[in-house]
Amino acid sequence: MFDITTSGELLAEFMAEARDQRFDAAGRFHGPFPSGAPAIFASQAARMGVRVAYAGRVGDDGFGDLIVARLRDDGIDVGAVQRDPERPTGTAFVSYQADGSRRFIFNLAHSAAGQQTLDDTQLARLAACRYCHVMGSSLSSPAAIAIVRRLVARVRENGGQISFDPNVRPELVERPGVREALLALVAGCDIFLPSDADLEWLAAPGEGMDASVARLMAEHRMSLLVLKRAAAGCVAYRDGERLEVPGLHVEEVDPTGAGDCFGGALIAALAAGRDLRQALRLANAAGAHAVTVLGPMEGCSDLATLKRRLDAAGDDQ
Ligand code: ATP
Ligand code: MG
């Protein structure tokens, strides 16, 4: 029995050294770094000491070795991480712009990541979990959507809970079936973890944030909604109550992975039996720590690091 199961894209990421670095001219890149939103989530959760299982696919190459070694070192069960004999590991190149935005070149659909399958034995093993976490970024193709759908249905049959971070990417939602898959998970999850921007995407025209939250919680089965608000921290809604926890003051070096680390820490803390306020504090600390470190998964942290961050911030938990 796992505490948390997650599935989805695994990739090697390369980061442009200079701000505004272009992709159509020679330049320096740092990497490869292990990456993929569900992998960042899983690494953060596992480092906090809960049992995490991962399903994904990498190539039979050095990038694949790097990623599998990292997941394993973090204590993640990689029994359902497949090796593709033909296609290479997925990659992403990222360049940070002076205005804070990011430019990407992804090679996922035609890489090993795009060939992921989940056989019945793997499905049965992974679905024995208390929480199954889904990242919206993993709903990128009909095949990927089908894997998530099967996993979610089986976890639900077993009595596990579904957590969902929609991670809405404008370039993905226009693909066939993606919008429908996102909305089906909004309707079917138990714990919903949108960012401000995700909630805006879901809001009806002219609807304010609090009204959107109230409507989503009334219309759907979710019992906990946590809104991620970057440097401002988070707000949780449960049983008609609203719990706001301010963010930690840190110097932001690299925003990539903050939301994924936040989610990983939150679900790990809940799985470990912590109360909601404590879980939100740890999640804020994980998100804040993540932005201080360069590299997608490099800012994942263990419990001791999070407690030190909270102590330094004067938090008395
Ligand atoms: P991502 O860009 O990884 O998808 P997101 O949009 O899902 O992130 P954010 O709200 O940006 O989510 O960040 C998640 C959490 O990380 C926040 O709720 C907060 O706790 C923490 N965090 C993010 N940025 C900062 C920051 N600059 N200072 C302090 N905490 C931060
Ligand atoms: Mg996000």
Side-chain angles (χ1 to χ4, degrees), residues 103-276:
R103 297 230 169 111
F104 287 98
I105 294 179
F106 283 109
N107 174 25
L108 280 180
H110 302 289
S111 74
Q115 306 296 308
Q116 189 192 341
T117 58
L118 192 61
D119 67 34
D120 288 341
T121 312
Q122 289 172 333
L123 176 65
R125 196 165 161 266
L126 290 175
C129 64
R130 296 166 61 210
Y131 296 89
C132 170
H133 183 75
V134 178
M135 282 287 178
S137 57
S138 307
L139 305 169
S140 60
S141 69
I145 291 167
I147 289 175
V148 168
R149 201 176 279 149
R150 277 171 67 222
L151 184 57
V152 163
R154 184 68 77 88
V155 169
R156 166 106 358 99
E157 270 171 44
N158 291 349
Q161 294 201 40
I162 310 300
S163 55
F164 179 49
D165 178 343
N167 229 330
V168 175
R169 302 216 176 129
E171 70 277 12
L172 274 185
V173 287
E174 299 312 324
R175 292 193 193 168
V178 172
R179 182 182 302 270
E180 293 72 16
L182 279 168
L183 294 177
L185 271 148
V186 172
C189 68
D190 302 284
I191 301 176
F192 186 44
L193 306 174
S195 64
D196 280 337
D198 298 329
L199 195 62
E200 231 166 83
W201 183 78
L202 283 164
E207 190 179 47
M209 289 282 187
D210 280 335
S212 304
V213 168
R215 179 178 56 79
L216 288 169
M217 297 196 80
E219 282 178 359
H220 303 305
R221 64 175 278 142
M222 61 182 81
S223 54
L224 171 64
L225 185 154
V226 182
L227 182 62
K228 292 171 283 175
R229 302 174 60 211
C234 63
V235 191
Y237 300 82
R238 188 171 72 177
D239 297 334
E241 280 181 48
R242 183 182 189 280
L243 185 57
E244 184 162 353
V245 185
L248 280 66
H249 294 288
V250 291
E251 196 179 331
E252 185 174 301
V253 175
D254 177 6
T256 302
D260 312 330
C261 286
F262 179 96
L266 181 74
I267 304 301
L270 293 175
R274 293 178 187 275
D275 69 27
L276 182 59

